[in-house]
Amino acid sequence: MDQPGIGDPTHVLPAGPWRQVHEHLSVHGHAVVHTTWGEWLPAALTRPHLRRLLGRRDWDRCRRTTDPAVRHRFVTSRLLLKYTAAAALRTAPEGLDLSYRLGGRPYLRGFDQIDMSLTHTGDLMAVGLSRDGRIGIDAEPADRRMRLDLLQTQMCTPAEAAELAPLTEDEQSEQTLRLWTLKEAYTKALGQGMRLRFTEFGFGLRTGRLLAPDGTPAAPTEWAFATHRVLGRYLLSTARHDSGLDTAPDTAARTMLDPGFAAVMAHSSWTPPAPPDPPAPPAPGTPGVPGARGGRTVPVETRSRPD
């Protein structure tokens, strides 16, 4: 099987370009987008019916988050997930039910064929979608200095250490950061998170292929890996598995929706939780209301919890 490629990530704003995202998923089977939470903050603050768009689970989490910066980053990241999935499936973001697996990995209920991954660091947010296999993404600031003396034993295989040894200190730091993001992306795609030690697998510095600790090939070519510099200041790595299945080229929601999930919904009186926005408070003097008034960012020594 030929090595499946990974295209350049697309910089998206709330206005798009969403057609490009849909076309990339339809043609190539995957799409990766990136943006900054500041570029999405106005949409988070002004989006009508935000409660309905987030859904009960994320709305409750939003309300429990007291730090405004953390709350805004959470909301913008969920908007990015919903908008990206909606563009890929050609449907409205309010119609998608975002849920989470053990460990916090997001998924779309009823669309089991769509795999998704989220990463964020600094002001960067990125989302990866795939319709023909698992996908994982990870990002780090490109200027992050890595503690090489610590990481040689924590994350490098003997083969990687041998390739890094003849490089200059700056080259070693750059390549070690790239290896870190690739390994994070790969373990996210596998759904292993921190359970798979980074010394149990490696990557060729020149080939970018997955290797065993001794430097021999570790997997067939249905896995593809890539690292891109985005926004001029971040490294964004993607790990993508092509299952080889003949997936539907039509990625509209009506085609991709799991038939069993659709049947359950069609014969059930239950509807996804979408409570209306709370009504305006009663005006002063309203009858029955006495006296009423309106009223990874990742340290180099530790592993991050996967999104």
Side-chain angles (χ1 to χ4, degrees):
M1 180 185 295
D2 294 334
Q3 178 84 357
I6 295 178
D8 292 340
T10 302
H11 185 190
V12 295
L13 302 175
W18 297 117
R19 181 176 181 180
Q20 181 177 333
V21 175
H22 174 80
E23 290 176 349
H24 208 287
L25 186 74
S26 298
V27 174
H28 303 289
H30 72 282
V32 179
V33 304
H34 67 90
T35 189
T36 65
W37 75 274
E39 291 174 307
W40 281 69
L41 184 56
L45 296 176
T46 62
R47 180 67 163 77
H49 310 298
L50 179 63
R51 180 177 181 177
R52 184 174 302 159
L53 176 62
L54 290 178
R56 182 172 60 191
R57 185 185 303 103
D58 284 342
W59 176 254
D60 289 344
R61 178 174 171 181
C62 174
R63 294 185 64 189
R64 292 194 306 268
T65 305
T66 57
D67 186 308
V70 175
R71 183 171 63 250
H72 292 153
R73 290 171 191 248
F74 172 76
V75 172
T76 54
S77 67
R78 270 53 193 176
L79 287 182
L80 180 63
L81 281 166
K82 285 283 190 81
Y83 273 61
T84 304
L89 297 168
R90 287 188 172 177
T91 189
E94 294 88 348
L96 298 175
D97 186 7
L98 186 64
S99 192
Y100 303 90
R101 305 187 192 280
L102 292 177
R105 183 180 178 89
Y107 73 97
L108 296 172
R109 294 189 65 223
F111 296 90
D112 292 340
Q113 194 172 332
I114 297 293
D115 193 46
M116 63 195 319
S117 181
L118 167 70
T119 190
H120 46 82
T121 182
D123 65 342
L124 176 76
M125 304 186 298
V127 169
L129 293 179
S130 176
R131 65 176 174 85
D132 38 339
R134 301 300 299 270
I135 191 169
I137 60 174
D138 188 71
E140 288 291 334
D143 60 356
R144 168 161 288 175
R145 305 301 296 179
M146 308 298 284
R147 290 285 304 277
L148 301 179
D149 55 332
L150 295 175
L151 291 179
Q152 287 289 331
T153 56
Q154 288 188 9
M155 65 161 284
C156 289
T157 66
E160 289 171 330
E163 280 199 274
L164 288 168
L167 303 180
T168 67
E169 184 175 347
D170 286 345
E171 290 172 334
Q172 286 187 20
S173 181
E174 178 183 352
Q175 290 299 322
T176 302
L177 182 63
R178 173 172 166 261
L179 289 174
W180 180 279
T181 58
L182 284 169
K183 292 190 177 193
E184 284 280 8
Y186 180 55
T187 55
K188 287 181 180 181
L190 293 175
Q192 293 297 309
M194 293 184 289
R195 293 185 294 274
L196 182 61
R197 292 175 57 86
F198 278 2
T199 54
E200 295 177 9
F201 64 97
F203 290 93
L205 294 188
R206 291 183 297 274
T207 66
R209 288 190 179 276
L210 187 65
L211 303 176
D214 62 359
T216 57
T221 56
E222 63 263 19
W223 277 99
F225 305 91
T227 302
H228 296 91
R229 183 181 285 264
V230 298
L231 302 179
R233 58 188 185 277
Y234 293 102
L235 292 184
L236 175 60
S237 286
T238 303
R240 173 177 171 255
H241 179 256
D242 186 345
S243 63
L245 300 176
D246 185 17
T247 55
D250 181 4
T251 55
R254 63 181 181 277
T255 304
M256 303 296 288
L257 182 62
D258 178 74
F261 183 82
V264 169
M265 297 302 295
H267 292 85
S268 172
S269 59
W270 181 87
T271 57
D277 292 331
T286 300
V289 187
R293 288 192 177 272
R296 282 152 250 351
T297 304
V298 184
V300 295
E301 294 87 356
T302 60
R303 296 284 302 282
S304 65
R305 182 179 66 83
D307 291 296

